[in-house]
Amino acid sequence: MSMIRDLRAAVRPALRRGGTPYEYDATRDASSSTAVVDCAVYREGMRASAPCGPAEAMRRVRAEGGFAWIGLHEPTEQEFAGIAREFNLHPLAVEDAVHAHQRPKLERYDDTLFTVFKTIHYVEHAELTATSEVVETGEVMCFTGEDFIITVRHGGQGSLRALRHRLEQDPPLLAKGPSAVLHAIADQVVDGYIAVADAVQDDIDEVEIDVFSAPSKGSSRGGDAGRIYQLKREVLEFKRAVTPLMRPMQLLSERPMRLVDPDIQKYFRDVADHLARVHEQVVAFDDLLNSILQANLAQASVAQNEDMRKITSWAAIFAVPTMIAGIYGMNFTHMPELKWKYGYPMVMIVTVAICVSIHRGFKRNGWL
């Protein structure tokens, strides 16, 4: 992954500026072909009509008030350097935002809150197999200041474009400032978790039904173990996104923060409640899959024991004619019934009778 990331960092700037790597120019227009997806100034909940770049947006905010919302998608270090200087972002947070693959967290650097969210997307599949991908993950990082919010998105899903348009339709909420945008992002991420949890529940129900239903002729119980283990791995990926976010949501909903409007903090409590419910579901998924996997392995073991009992039963039945044939195959001159006319039919009748008796006994005991 690091090699691919380094290659992208080297190639993408060259493609954008005619083949020459460059350091991001914060004064460029937001609509140009940079990592900036959207850049806007908001005053009293309304978007300023004139387009601008990040540096121009901050000049307008400092001169006329309001706040700036800058959205980026997978910026390189060169592309993000100008914005980092313009907004005085901490180098550690900048490094995390550029390289991604971070745990969900909330950190404070001077007058900026740095928040990391993991986005989860459910991958549709016609049938769950041992190699099915169930969830895809991405990341959204937020730098929240008093008069700006910078969102950095990684991954092919989790777009914030629809969210921005929805917020622009609610000026009273957007007028609360950057913390309103931070809450909306957190709410969208957690709502995504709820939708994925419902879809994963359907997959688990399907696997559970398959494991505990009667096996079809020729099928093997052990074949379900691969699907269960794959689903468990995907649930673990889901859990890694949900569990670390519990503490940041608790802090945002309970601890007074200067950068979070008190009215918005009440909304964070609702997000924290939804996240707690999803967390309980994911933990339950993990425990349930453990139980299903153990049940599947137990069924496979029982099936093997049944096969061994059948093999042993038939071996015991065939041991009788083998023993009798072995006795009468010995080369002794004086043996009972050796000269008797009905000796052979009698031996055959006795052999069959013993075998039938043993078979019936095994049948009664459930071995056959």
Side-chain angles (χ1 to χ4, degrees):
M1 287 298 294
S2 61
M3 183 174 67
I4 296 174
R5 196 163 51 237
D6 293 342
L7 181 61
R8 186 188 66 194
V11 172
R12 191 166 67 175
L15 294 175
R16 288 174 176 166
R17 293 292 299 273
T20 304
Y22 69 100
E23 182 174 329
Y24 178 76
D25 182 2
T27 63
R28 290 192 59 165
D29 183 77
S31 62
S32 61
S33 58
T34 69
V36 176
V37 177
D38 201 350
C39 177
V41 175
Y42 296 89
R43 299 189 193 93
E44 298 180 356
M46 303 298 293
R47 176 172 181 149
S49 58
C52 61
E56 176 63 23
M58 282 312 298
R59 280 196 288 270
R60 293 182 184 180
V61 167
R62 289 161 186 163
E64 304 172 15
F67 74 94
W69 180 359
I70 304 166
L72 301 97
H73 181 248
E74 297 186 353
T76 63
E77 292 182 11
Q78 293 84 357
E79 291 170 328
F80 202 52
I83 293 179
R85 287 196 308 272
E86 180 69 31
F87 293 90
N88 195 27
L89 304 179
H90 196 279
L92 290 177
V94 171
E95 182 180 359
D96 289 347
V98 170
H99 294 116
H101 304 292
Q102 305 297 317
R103 296 176 74 250
K105 60 183 177 179
L106 172 65
E107 295 177 343
R108 180 165 185 167
Y109 295 99
D110 300 325
D111 293 330
T112 304
L113 287 178
F114 178 61
T115 316
V116 177
F117 301 97
K118 271 198 175 295
T119 56
I120 299 292
H121 171 68
Y122 180 77
V123 180
E124 296 289 345
H125 44 266
E127 181 181 359
L128 182 66
T129 66
T131 58
S132 295
E133 186 178 14
V134 179
V135 296
E136 276 183 346
T137 60
E139 291 177 56
V140 175
M141 288 104 163
C142 301
F143 295 88
T144 309
E146 189 173 357
D147 52 7
F148 69 87
I149 181 166
I150 301 171
T151 57
V152 181
R153 185 168 62 88
H154 290 267
Q157 41 84 26
S159 174
L160 302 177
R161 187 181 301 275
L163 175 65
R164 186 189 286 260
H165 291 164
R166 189 167 65 250
L167 284 174
E168 290 173 354
Q169 301 302 316
D170 190 359
L173 179 60
L174 201 55
K176 297 292 184 180
S179 60
V181 179
L182 180 62
H183 161 264
I185 293 172
D187 189 47
Q188 175 171 289
V189 169
V190 174
D191 284 347
Y193 292 168
I194 294 174
V196 172
D198 292 339
V200 171
Q201 178 70 67
D202 293 338
D203 282 337
I204 294 176
D205 290 343
E206 178 186 339
V207 168
E208 188 175 19
I209 291 172
D210 289 344
V211 168
F212 290 102
S213 62
S216 59
K217 187 176 181 180
S219 65
S220 173
R221 289 290 188 186
D224 291 327
R227 295 197 303 158
I228 299 170
Y229 186 70
Q230 176 65 13
L231 189 55
K232 184 173 174 58
R233 284 176 60 90
E234 297 296 309
V235 168
L236 179 60
E237 188 73 18
F238 193 3
K239 189 175 181 180
R240 287 173 180 163
V242 173
T243 302
L245 191 58
M246 295 287 291
R247 180 60 178 167
M249 286 298 101
Q250 184 181 6
L251 293 175
L252 287 170
S253 62
E254 296 178 359
R255 180 176 295 180
M257 296 183 182
R258 186 174 61 84
L259 296 174
V260 178
D261 187 282
D263 292 335
I264 295 299
Q265 192 166 40
K266 300 174 184 177
Y267 289 95
F268 274 114
R269 295 173 192 167
D270 183 62
V271 177
D273 288 342
H274 291 170
L275 182 65
R277 181 165 68 88
V278 175
H279 179 258
E280 291 174 359
Q281 280 185 282
V282 173
V283 172
F285 290 164
D286 196 30
D287 294 339
L288 181 58
L289 284 171
N290 282 335
S291 300
I292 294 174
L293 183 60
Q294 291 173 0
N296 177 255
L297 295 177
Q299 287 179 338
S301 178
V302 168
Q304 289 177 350
N305 289 338
E306 290 178 353
D307 292 340
M308 289 302 299
R309 285 194 301 182
K310 290 179 180 179
I311 294 172
T312 303
S313 299
W314 284 111
I317 292 172
F318 284 113
V320 174
T322 302
M323 179 189 69
I324 295 174
I327 291 174
Y328 280 93
M330 294 185 294
N331 296 320
F332 291 106
T333 303
H334 303 287
M335 291 185 68
E337 293 83 32
L338 202 61
K339 302 290 185 179
W340 186 34
K341 178 180 178 180
Y342 300 104
Y344 176 75
M346 180 59 67
V347 170
M348 294 302 295
I349 292 172
V350 171
T351 301
V352 171
I354 294 174
C355 291
V356 170
S357 300
I358 296 175
H359 183 274
R360 291 184 63 184
F362 284 138
K363 196 79 170 178
R364 263 197 316 270
N365 294 327
W367 282 47
L368 287 175

